[in-house]
Amino acid sequence: MTTYLVPLIMIGGLISTGVYLLLERNLTRMLLGLLLIGNGINLLILMVGGPSGNPPIRGRTCDGQTNTAD
């Protein structure tokens, strides 16, 4: 399993900035913090999902792989 460092740093930065902004008393900064946390969580889900597989159609290949997707 290959781990890419740049997206993980981006995820950590987005979530930590979002938490910092949630601790403010200004409503606009709190909403911006929620937005940043949501974007960080979406990036985390994409990173955990791993690389894409083959199409779920039998006989089709992608990038030279012959096994089908899950």
Side-chain angles (χ1 to χ4, degrees):
M1 182 175 151
T2 305
T3 304
Y4 299 107
L5 191 59
V6 174
L8 292 177
I9 291 173
M10 287 175 48
I11 292 168
L14 283 172
I15 292 177
S16 62
T17 306
V19 168
Y20 174 75
L21 288 175
L22 273 178
L23 296 175
E24 297 286 330
R25 292 186 58 97
N26 191 353
L27 181 63
T28 306
R29 290 188 181 193
M30 290 174 65
L31 292 176
L32 186 61
L34 283 175
L35 180 79
L36 289 177
I37 289 176
N39 286 334
I41 296 298
N42 284 335
L43 281 176
L44 180 66
I45 291 171
L46 286 175
M47 283 293 298
V48 170
S52 60
N54 284 326
I57 302 170
R58 200 109 164 100
R60 298 267 176 109
T61 60
C62 181
D63 295 333
Q65 298 175 352
T66 57
N67 47 352
T68 57
D70 292 340

